Structures are given as structure tokens and as C-alpha cells.
Amino acid sequence: MVKRIVLAYSGGLDTSVLIKWLQEKYGAEVITVTLDVGQREDLKAIEEKAYRLGVLKHYSIDAKDEFARNYVFPAIKANALYEGKYPVSTALSRPLIASKLVEVAEREHADAVAHGCTGKGNDQVRIEVSVKALNPNLKVIAPIREWNMTRDAEIDFAREHGIPILVDKGKPYSIDQNLWGRSIECGILEHPDKEPPEDAFEWTVAPEKAPNEPEYVSIEFESGVPVALNGRSMEPVNLIESLNSIAGRHGVGRIDHMEDRLVGIKSREVYECPAATVIIEAHKDLEKLVLTRHEVLFKQHIDAEWAYLVYAGLWMDPLKEDLDAFINKTQERVNGEVRVKLFKGNGLVVGRSSPYSLYDIHLATYNIDTTFNQASSAGFIELWGLPTRVARALKRIGKG
Ligand code: ARG
């Protein structure tokens, strides 16, 4: 018997219906938890709504700073882009939400946690794997996976139970947002051949409507994470929020790609991630200035694996910590400044510098006055091409 349930509450229709549904179906007390991870919503209003729906207790947790430092910063160090495109913004927030659910459940002696994820998505996996890893004794309830309510049935249920239904002016989108980005799904976006309509976007202007003058922004990194913007030191949350608005007004950070979900479904995903797009681009460039070729190429594999693990809900797996250990070691020298030019939807790196720069103009220059001994290249080419020559020789006589 489940007596007390801790529910991850967004304040939206689904999770509001869940409060009533859990109370009725289980006869259980419901405690709601809402995290502020930078989703730009009124937490006070969400709390009031929860109490109106009869929850035993509500927790509003300001988790922005923790999210930025402990989830977003590691993602920056790992240049995390799932399938080369998606900065894993939603994915990063899930293990944090899971750990707060567990914390509250333990403090409140609850026997279960519940969430409003569907059975088709990645979020159910991320939340449940994390909850179970932290506390295997907690039961996890995922009503939306089992209740088979149509949207209309849900609205009827809401009406019968006095749950306010916000008619959102013809915007049929499902939104998830936090500091690191905004995900937009549903409606016309489910047709991958159709361009996303302008009303899907809120954080970015259309590139063609962006200012006709470029804007430059300089980002200073210390040990692989951004610490200052345009020469001004900033706390992580503030820095990311500022860059979201600066890059957003130049139309930078719109992402539209085909994505492979964990449950095997291909989906068309649309995001707005202005700060993430600019910071990762700048960070990658700085790494190429200070890491050796061997480090840069090897790290690309580690980075891709890191993004995959986080996307796949395995934040709590020891492999992620192992990868973090490697990544953190490489970041010791990732200090310096990167200049980015924002213009009509593009964020282009146009300058970089670092006290740990491996760039040597005396080696690189095509001028005659160089320290590089061109004569050694002949011997290098001789040995570098040896395996290829041997193989091609066989091929020429019809073997291999
Ligand atoms: N496809 C993205 C991901 O799996 C976005 C998911 C958005 N989640 C949501 N509940 N609206 O991370």
C-alpha cells in the first residue's frame, strides 16, 4: 500500500490532473516538488495551485545555481551535443529533479515518487533510473504510462475536479525549458518536412529579423568553464542567462534535427539554446588552442560518449564519473578568452587567446623567417606514407 507520494510537479495540466488522480486512485497523501532550473515560470503561482488542489505539502526549490554549476558546467567541459546537435538541456535537468524527489521523499517518509512523463519519451528513463539508483526502496509511479486517457478525457477529468485549464491561444506545443535551453515539441513540428513556424520560438528572433549590425561577445574561460562575459566576471546563472538573451536577439541557437530516442523512436526535435550553442562553440575552439592534437582527437570520442550517457539517463552510472575524471584533467589548461561574432543566426568564433596557447607563430608562419625545419618533412613523409605505399604496391600487381 502506498500512503504518501512525492510528485514532480510542473504546474501544467498533466501533473495537476496527476495530483487528483493519485489522491483518488491510491487514497494517498500527495506532496509536490517544483524545481526552479531557470524555466522562467512563476514558482509562487505553481505553489498556490498545488495547495488549491489539496496537496499535503509543497516544496519550491531554487536549484538554478546547483543546476548551472553541477550539471551545465560539466556539459560545457564535455562539449556535450547528442548526435552532434542537441546540447542535452532537458536531459541534464532530470537527474537533478530525481535527486530532489528522493531527498524530499526520504525527509517526508514517503513510500513512492511519481512523475508525469509519457511512456514514449526519454524523461521517464532518466528520472526512474536516477531515483532507483539513489534509493531502490522507493516505488516509482508513472500514471501517464498506464492511464490511457485521451486529451479530451483528461480535460473532462480536470473540469470535474476543478482543475484550471489554461487555453493557450492556439499554441499546441509541449515545452520544456531550463537555463540551458528550450525544447519545443508536438503539433506541426511532428512533420519533419515542414519548417517550424515562428510561433514555436520564444528565446530567439528569426535570423532574417535579427539586427543588421553584428555584435561581438568575449567569453573568458577558467579550467574549462565560463567565468566572464565581455570582461565582466559573472556567476554561472547570470552569465548563462545574459548570453541567452544576447545571442537570442541575433537569432543564434535554433536547432532543428532528427533525433534517436532511447525507446527506439525517431523524432523531429526543435530547440532554442542560444547560450549553449555559443559557449560550446567557443569552448571547443579554445580547447583546440591549448590541447595537443592527440588530446583533441581522443577527447572527441569521450565527449560523444558523455553526451550519449547523459541523454540515455545514465548520469548516475560510474562510467560518467570515469569520463568526468578524464575530462576534468584535460580542462586544467583550458583558460583563455574567445571572441564570438553574432550575426543573423550565426555565432562565429573570430578570435581566441590563452596563456596556455600551443600556437607558435614561428612554427606556423609561411614566411621564410621560421624555426620549422622544412627539410625534416621529407623524411617524415617517407615514413608516414610507408604502409600505404606497401599496400598499394600489392594492389598494383593485382593482389589485395
Ligand atoms: N528530446 C529531448 C530530450 O529527450 C526533449 C524532451 C523534452 N521533454 C519534455 N518533457 N517536453 O531530452
Side-chain angles (χ1 to χ4, degrees), residues 12 26-27 49 91 153 155 186 190 198 213 224 231 235 369 371 386:
Y26 290 90
K49 192 167 176 185
I155 290 175
C186 298
E190 289 180 352
E198 259 327 290
E213 289 301 313
E235 291 300 306
D369 185 18
T371 52
L386 181 59

Side-chain angles (χ1 to χ4, degrees), residues 7-12 15-20 23 29-34 42-60 161-164:
L7 168 69
Y9 185 55
S10 72
T15 51
S16 297
V17 165
L18 279 190
I19 295 178
K20 289 290 172 194
Q23 287 165 340
E29 296 169 328
V30 175
I31 294 174
T32 39
V33 177
T34 307
D42 182 356
L43 276 253
K44 195 79 205 129
I46 294 175
E47 169 161 0
E48 282 162 12
K49 192 167 176 185
Y51 279 115
R52 272 203 308 278
L53 295 171
V55 300
L56 179 69
K57 202 164 178 183
H58 176 85
Y59 283 81
S60 284
H161 291 80
I163 298 165

Side-chain angles (χ1 to χ4, degrees), residues 86 88-92 94 116-117 121-123 126 174-177 183-185 257 259 261 267 269-271 311:
Y86 164 44
V88 296
S89 38
T90 295
L92 284 171
R94 294 331 191 210
C117 308
N122 300 312
D123 291 329
R126 296 167 182 152
S174 160
I175 307 292
D176 181 71
Q177 45 188 33
S183 142
I184 315 115
E185 295 175 311
H257 83 141
E259 191 170 296
R261 286 194 209 155
S267 64
E269 297 288 328
V270 176
Y271 305 97
Y311 185 85

